[in-house]
Amino acid sequence: MSVVTVQLGQCGNQIGQEMFSTIHDDSVGAGQKMYKECSEERFFRVNAAGALVARAVLVDMEPKVISRAIAKASKSGHWTYGDKAHFCQKQGSGNNWANGYCVHGPRHRDAVEDLVRREAERCDRLAGIFAIMSVAGGTGSGVGTYVTQCLRDMYPQSFILNHLTWPYATGEVIVQNYNSVLTLSRLYHLSDALVVHENDTVHKICSQLMNIKNISISDINRVIAHQLGSILQPAVTTDSAPHYCRNALGDLLSSLVCHPEYKLLSLCSIPQMSQTSLAYSAYTWPGLLKHLRQMLIANARMEEGIDWKVCVPLSGEESTANRQMCFNRSLSNLLILRGKDASSADTGGFKDASLYVPWLPPGGTFNTWNSPVPFNGYEKSATLVSNSQSLLKPLDNIVRKAWNMFASRAYIHQYTKFGISEENFLDSFAMLEQIISSYTHL
Amino acid sequence: MTQSVVVQVGQCGNQVGCRFWDLALREHAHVNKKGIYDEALGSFFRNVDPRCEEGSGTPRIAGLRARAVLVDMEEGVLNEVRQGPLRQLFSTTQLISDVSGSGNNWAVGHHTYGSMYREQIVDQIRRAAEHCDCLQTFFLIHSMGGGTGSGLGTCVLKLLEEEFPEVCRLVTAVYPSSEDDVITSPYNSVLAMRELTEHAHCVFPIENQSLVDIVSQIQHMAHTGKPSAVIKKDCTIISGQGGMSKTQKPFDSMNNIVANLLLNITSSARFEGSLNMDLNEIAMNLVPFPRLHYLVSSLTPLYTLADVNVPTRRLDQMFTDAFSKEFQLMKADPRHSLYLSCALMLRGNVQVSDLRRNIERLRPTLSFVPWNAEGWKVSLCSVPPVGHTHSLLALANNTCVASAFTKLRDRFIKLYRKKAHLHHYMCVEGMETADFSEALHSLSALIDEYSQLHTHTHTHQAPRLNIAT
């Protein structure tokens, strides 16, 4: 089964390009036929000339980023984007969500829908749609939300997974919190799940784990692409064994999103390091999983600087003390192990019922996928996709900052100009406060 | 890609404008070595090569026309353009001039010439707009002190709003020094400011005195003779060498600074980068309330010269400089006033980690309004200015403009109290006494709006929405 990827806006197109390149290099580098075939069926098609073409649609409101992504792909010599698989305009959305959602989106609806439909029709079986975008700017967030809405109408039965990049807390775009609030509140109804990367945490991974001195946007995007690849590449699930699971998106969602009120997924991977240190490291599964478990409960996105004092509350104990200890409660977790002996690693530490909310049956909260093929040059690696409280704090910060700005009505005139009223803002705020409250009370 | 049209009005506007065209040509010649008419070049120039048929690919450039309309009510400056090295950039119809000038009288420029030349100006602007396939921005350049620039310039601004309401209007306005030799300059400036406040999307105010000080400081450094302080021959900031014009005129170095401001504002829209910033993002990010759209700008490095490999200390110095008083293109001190928002537009070899580090370093030393405590907009453009490896343009929406405007208002009131020179204005058809009091009121209201932001600095956080659980 195949996934159609929709790359939206500057961020979406940069990350998408990086993701396809990671996936391709990994599936070729692994030198394992079944793995390669499964991965290629999922993300690429073969054109008349016999070359690999990404199952992707590129959308942006200005041309520079898309031309760059297309050029980079062709330069790789291994795969390309489809000849007519992109849509761009001349003028960007100007960081204005309302401009993207109310003006650009509707104006170009037919063209974008057409591109996605054509790509979907080229799949023997469509596993779902993967939309990549940021929440801060105008095109990714505004047009992205609108396009997701159209896709939901077009494919009411298909899985739609959105990957969202959350901006640096200390500002990239001044109205980023407004744009984020408007995006998240709408996507929450439309999408099946939202996979989130925060630029701040990825930046830290680049500096502390990858040892990159001058971190560029492409360094950030490469880390994101690595993590996305590690969940989207072929893996064996409990039901699919001994074959690779064919429906990656469907299995991901059914393992993680058991309730429509809880759709925020975070990722953490271990180990992550620079290419040079990779050759000199050796890891054992118990060591990796011990760290990963502590990263989960202490809500750390890196294995460095984990707070080992945070522990799982004993059942029945009142959780106030632990709340102060920042125990991160989960709704569900999916652990993906790749590399030597992955299928025999002991994952018992993640099955502990006290990690999870009491109202879910113990069997439904935790799943493991594995693959014997080492991923992206790592002999052993583990990625945890988690539906937990870990995004609560950054979400709360976004809403708080946007609300403070809204209280002074700053910048609102830029949105009303395109038809987003103060009431629309209030609805979005209420919606997100509801989600914050739900996750807080897990 | 989008296009911009430049409308330059009056002596100052045209002199700055011509420096801009010269430097823009040089920048594109530097980046675009093959001499191909590409999209970046197309943002300010159109190709008029007679061999170039529509859709016949991209031939080497043979003829370029600036997307510009040049307006002056005297002949001097425009005659120089007609005979100067840039003459081929403009067709004669793009130049609109009269012979008698506005006599440093805003009313003459605004009303007399405004109605006399209205149709001709609109016609030329519309023609320039028709040559664009996606017109995004008008850049209007004029001074505030004289008659033509301030009067007719602001009249053109209104025309643009009427005729092209969708297109962004960015104004570069050069303010007179306090010891300006034009006695009526406070009148002209205040009358013009009312129009800028009401009709522009963004204004980049530039004070003549700042330009004078920066140029003299650069020259001082160049003559101290330290090896590290030798100014490179092709440093864009002050020299015009390498461009079309070889000889330097007295105001060239000052005008070059303004021309560079325009180049850097538009660089991220013209060239690629890892974090793009389109021109329509300027107002979106920096203007929280429609009237408060005066952005103080600073350019760095001005004096320091780029090394081949970027040592971190020098790079960080560039960020520090961008916030210091000496580098502002207005006589104002943003560091000791309140920021509403701030954009950092970087070019060249600068990474996002340099940006984060410096924002974190500088943030504690600056005060922001509480509802926009992280009010940064950043962009990274990969093409550096000619002769540099990196550069930074900071645009700040900062309450320090209010103090500069207050000084201007004081000078206005000094004249106005005695009704000095008022009769020169009143005898112009279309001018009314109320225009003066309304302009003064508009300026006072603007100053108040900025100062009120100070009083709300300590408001606590707004209580959040409650959700029934």
Side-chain angles (χ1 to χ4, degrees):
Chain A
M1 288 176 92
S2 311
V3 175
V4 172
T5 301
V6 185
Q7 311 180 170
L8 296 143
Q10 172 159 28
C11 173
N13 279 294
Q14 286 173 346
I15 291 177
Q17 189 274 329
E18 206 66 68
M19 181 188 83
F20 280 106
S21 144
T22 305
I23 283 176
H24 177 269
D25 293 354
D26 172 59
S27 56
V28 171
Q32 228 256 8
K33 191 158 165 281
M34 290 293 290
Y35 183 80
K36 180 166 173 282
E37 278 173 2
C38 182
S39 164
E40 283 179 1
E41 184 205 10
R42 196 172 281 175
F43 291 103
F44 296 93
R45 58 187 166 84
V46 179
N47 68 7
L52 283 186
V53 179
R55 297 186 189 274
V57 172
L58 295 75
V59 181
D60 201 357
M61 290 303 118
E62 64 92 57
K64 291 196 296 271
V65 180
I66 285 193
S67 1
R68 179 110 182 123
I70 292 176
K72 270 180 135 177
S74 324
K75 226 175 108 191
S76 78
H78 302 298
W79 62 278
T80 59
Y81 281 108
D83 287 337
K84 288 173 194 147
H86 63 273
F87 177 84
C88 60
Q89 286 291 298
K90 299 196 167 72
Q91 179 165 349
S93 306
N95 290 163
N96 191 333
W97 189 90
N99 191 10
Y101 183 83
C102 305
V103 181
H104 287 306
R107 191 180 290 162
H108 308 303
R109 175 182 187 153
D110 294 344
V112 174
E113 282 187 351
D114 207 45
L115 290 181
V116 178
R117 189 178 296 118
R118 277 216 309 251
E119 208 52 59
E121 281 166 3
R122 290 196 179 108
C123 304
D124 287 341
R125 281 172 70 204
L126 181 67
I129 291 163
F130 186 49
I132 310 176
M133 58 209 252
S134 79
V135 292
T139 302
S141 68
V143 178
T145 305
Y146 187 83
V147 167
T148 308
Q149 187 178 309
C150 298
L151 295 177
R152 181 42 87 209
D153 290 344
M154 275 168 81
Y155 301 103
Q157 308 299 330
S158 295
F159 293 116
I160 299 180
L161 181 65
N162 287 68
H163 176 263
L164 306 178
T165 303
W166 286 9
Y168 287 101
T170 49
E172 261 167 74
V173 170
I174 289 176
V175 287
Q176 63 188 25
N177 297 311
Y178 277 167
N179 291 338
S180 306
V181 163
L182 292 165
T183 307
L184 290 169
S185 61
R186 279 173 179 71
L187 281 186
Y188 218 79
H189 293 304
L190 299 166
S191 181
D192 290 304
L194 310 173
V195 178
V196 175
H197 271 112
E198 299 156 77
N199 270 345
D200 282 307
T201 47
V202 182
H203 193 98
K204 266 190 215 143
I205 291 174
C206 285
S207 74
Q208 296 180 22
L209 299 182
M210 317 291 284
N211 277 323
I212 303 170
K213 211 165 155 230
N214 291 313
I215 301 162
S216 66
I217 296 281
S218 28
D219 294 324
I220 305 259
N221 293 340
R222 258 194 296 278
V223 170
I224 295 177
H226 172 85
Q227 298 199 349
L228 287 178
S230 73
I231 59 170
L232 293 170
Q233 281 290 58
V236 179
T237 67
T238 336
D239 298 333
S240 76
H243 303 289
Y244 286 116
C245 158
R246 304 198 62 209
N247 188 0
L249 291 190
D251 272 24
L252 182 84
L253 294 168
S254 68
S255 331
L256 287 163
V257 186
C258 51
H259 190 297
E261 183 68 22
Y262 305 93
K263 288 184 178 176
L264 291 172
L265 308 182
S266 61
L267 295 181
C268 40
S269 286
I270 184 169
Q272 293 183 107
M273 63 183 71
S274 63
Q275 214 65 39
T276 40
S277 336
L278 208 53
Y280 304 100
S281 345
Y283 288 96
T284 61
W285 285 119
L288 286 177
L289 295 181
K290 186 179 168 219
H291 275 80
L292 193 58
R293 180 175 186 275
Q294 191 62 24
M295 282 159 73
L296 170 68
I297 61 177
N299 192 17
R301 233 46 77 69
M302 305 190 287
E303 61 261 44
E304 238 174 71
I306 310 176
D307 185 355
W308 288 93
K309 286 196 290 266
V310 181
C311 55
V312 182
L314 298 168
S315 53
E317 183 189 338
E318 190 34 57
S319 58
T320 30
N322 271 295
R323 202 145 273 163
Q324 283 161 0
M325 293 281 286
C326 314
F327 166 67
N328 178 44
R329 190 178 294 281
S330 307
L331 204 71
S332 50
N333 287 307
L334 170 63
L335 178 63
I336 302 161
L337 307 174
R338 296 178 185 278
K340 199 164 164 261
D341 303 326
S343 56
S344 57
D346 175 21
T347 58
F350 293 89
K351 289 177 184 152
D352 184 350
S354 42
L355 289 174
Y356 301 95
V357 291
W359 44 266
L360 279 174
T365 49
F366 175 69
N367 281 285
T368 318
W369 297 355
N370 61 69
S371 154
V373 181
F375 175 68
N376 209 15
Y378 288 80
E379 189 209 10
K380 294 190 185 80
S381 64
T383 298
L384 188 73
V385 193
S386 178
N387 189 349
S388 68
Q389 293 174 314
S390 68
L391 291 165
L392 185 55
K393 214 172 136 204
L395 177 64
D396 190 64
N397 282 334
I398 288 175
V399 175
R400 177 177 51 81
K401 287 176 193 168
W403 182 251
N404 274 340
M405 192 181 263
F406 185 72
S408 72
R409 295 297 184 270
Y411 296 99
I412 295 296
H413 68 283
Q414 310 271 20
Y415 291 83
T416 46
K417 191 164 77 182
F418 293 110
I420 293 295
S421 62
E422 286 189 19
E423 284 73 42
N424 293 137
F425 270 95
L426 280 171
D427 289 346
S428 292
F429 278 116
M431 161 90 208
L432 292 183
E433 293 286 5
Q434 178 65 54
I435 297 165
I436 290 172
S437 152
S438 301
Y439 269 106
T440 308
H441 294 102
L442 272 188
Chain B
M1 198 175 282
T2 58
Q3 293 85 35
S4 305
V5 170
V6 177
V7 185
Q8 41 199 68
V9 187
Q11 179 175 358
C12 170
N14 279 295
Q15 282 170 344
V16 169
C18 288
R19 294 311 308 139
F20 168 74
W21 294 110
D22 192 20
L23 295 182
L25 275 181
R26 187 171 77 142
E27 183 168 284
H28 282 287
H30 191 79
V31 176
N32 181 348
K33 292 260 173 7
K34 287 185 189 149
I36 301 284
Y37 181 76
D38 60 3
E39 289 214 316
L41 191 52
S43 57
F44 278 111
F45 297 93
R46 64 194 176 89
N47 196 358
V48 291
D49 188 342
R51 301 166 303 165
C52 169
E53 295 288 310
E54 283 291 322
S56 68
T58 48
R60 286 178 70 86
I61 307 159
L64 283 181
R65 284 283 150 76
R67 300 188 190 277
V69 178
L70 289 67
V71 184
D72 200 0
M73 293 297 112
E74 298 173 339
E75 289 184 304
V77 179
L78 291 192
N79 276 342
E80 274 175 44
V81 174
R82 284 188 187 100
Q83 286 146 21
L86 293 171
R87 61 184 178 275
Q88 288 171 336
L89 277 184
F90 313 101
S91 69
T92 46
T93 52
Q94 280 171 272
L95 279 63
I96 299 171
S97 57
D98 197 295
V99 285
S100 45
S102 306
N104 292 322
N105 186 331
W106 183 87
V108 173
H110 199 80
H111 293 292
T112 314
Y113 287 124
S115 51
M116 202 187 293
Y117 283 94
R118 184 195 164 102
E119 274 183 30
Q120 200 182 340
I121 293 171
V122 170
D123 199 45
Q124 282 311 313
I125 294 174
R126 186 167 293 134
R127 202 171 287 185
E130 280 164 6
H131 285 301
C132 302
D133 64 349
C134 184
L135 173 60
Q136 185 175 43
T137 310
F138 284 114
F139 282 95
L140 185 59
I141 314 172
H142 62 75
S143 69
M144 298 294 277
T148 307
S150 75
L152 187 54
T154 51
C155 176
V156 171
L157 180 65
K158 276 199 280 194
L159 294 182
L160 293 176
E161 188 182 31
E162 284 166 29
E163 302 286 329
F164 304 91
E166 303 293 314
V167 182
C168 188
R169 298 177 295 278
L170 305 182
V171 182
T172 307
V174 180
Y175 282 69
S177 319
S178 46
E179 291 95 33
D180 196 75
D181 46 4
V182 176
I183 198 128
T184 50
S185 73
Y187 280 162
N188 297 333
S189 306
V190 172
L191 289 164
M193 274 215 52
R194 177 188 174 195
E195 309 294 330
L196 294 187
T197 303
E198 283 171 19
H199 303 291
H201 285 116
C202 281
V203 178
F204 306 107
I206 288 156
E207 240 171 300
N208 232 338
Q209 193 58 45
S210 297
L211 300 179
V212 172
D213 293 349
I214 289 171
V215 168
S216 71
Q217 202 160 344
I218 294 173
Q219 273 156 2
H220 174 74
M221 287 190 67
H223 291 124
T224 51
K226 279 189 212 146
S228 62
V230 177
I231 299 210
K232 263 195 207 163
K233 279 283 179 280
D234 59 349
C235 163
T236 354
I237 300 290
I238 59 154
S239 122
Q241 287 192 3
M244 294 290 285
S245 352
K246 296 295 178 210
T247 50
Q248 282 214 36
K249 286 190 234 96
F251 294 110
D252 271 2
S253 37
M254 282 164 64
N255 292 336
N256 275 341
I257 295 176
V258 187
N260 268 296
L261 169 68
L262 289 172
L263 278 185
N264 286 326
I265 285 175
T266 57
S267 63
S268 191
R270 284 179 292 147
F271 303 115
E272 63 170 32
S274 54
L275 268 178
N276 287 335
M277 177 160 173
D278 214 351
L279 291 169
N280 55 3
E281 290 169 26
I282 297 176
M284 180 67 199
N285 282 283
L286 295 175
V287 182
F289 305 105
R291 283 162 53 89
L292 307 187
H293 56 231
Y294 292 86
L295 307 178
V296 186
S297 43
S298 65
L299 287 165
T300 57
L302 271 185
Y303 333 129
T304 49
L305 299 158
D307 292 333
V308 182
N309 53 354
V310 190
T312 312
R313 218 187 62 80
R314 184 66 59 80
L315 187 67
D316 287 3
Q317 187 61 41
M318 173 174 92
F319 283 89
T320 310
D321 288 347
F323 292 89
S324 85
K325 211 163 82 180
E326 288 74 30
F327 285 76
Q328 308 302 320
L329 301 189
M330 266 194 107
K331 283 285 160 201
D333 188 3
R335 202 167 195 141
H336 294 100
S337 301
L338 190 65
Y339 277 89
L340 280 76
S341 57
C342 183
L344 300 177
M345 303 177 71
L346 288 137
R347 301 182 62 177
N349 187 18
V350 186
Q351 299 303 342
V352 69
S353 54
D354 301 318
L355 199 53
R356 308 302 339 156
R357 183 181 64 247
N358 280 291
I359 287 181
E360 272 157 36
R361 184 172 63 88
L362 291 162
R363 177 65 192 85
T365 69
L366 308 168
S367 49
F368 275 76
V369 284
W371 43 264
N372 207 10
E374 276 129 10
W376 301 93
K377 165 71 186 171
V378 296
S379 76
L380 296 170
C381 169
S382 52
V383 177
V386 179
H388 291 270
T389 55
H390 54 282
S391 76
L392 166 62
L393 162 66
L395 297 174
N397 196 342
N398 187 292
T399 56
C400 70
V401 289
S403 63
F405 293 160
T406 309
K407 282 183 205 142
L408 176 65
R409 182 178 61 176
D410 292 346
R411 275 157 45 213
F412 175 94
I413 291 174
K414 214 186 231 173
L415 283 179
Y416 187 56
R417 214 179 267 141
K418 297 182 190 137
K419 305 276 184 263
H421 304 282
L422 267 189
H423 59 285
H424 294 302
Y425 291 78
M426 287 313 141
C427 64
V428 174
E429 200 183 317
M431 204 59 193
E432 286 163 28
T433 23
D435 287 340
F436 275 83
S437 53
E438 280 168 17
L440 178 61
H441 179 259
S442 162
L443 180 57
S444 296
L446 183 73
I447 293 169
D448 286 347
E449 282 166 53
Y450 274 111
S451 16
Q452 269 165 19
L453 291 164
H454 278 286
T455 57
H456 295 303
T457 314
H458 300 293
T459 46
H460 49 272
Q461 297 202 336
R464 296 266 289 263
L465 283 177
N466 279 324
I467 295 300
T469 44

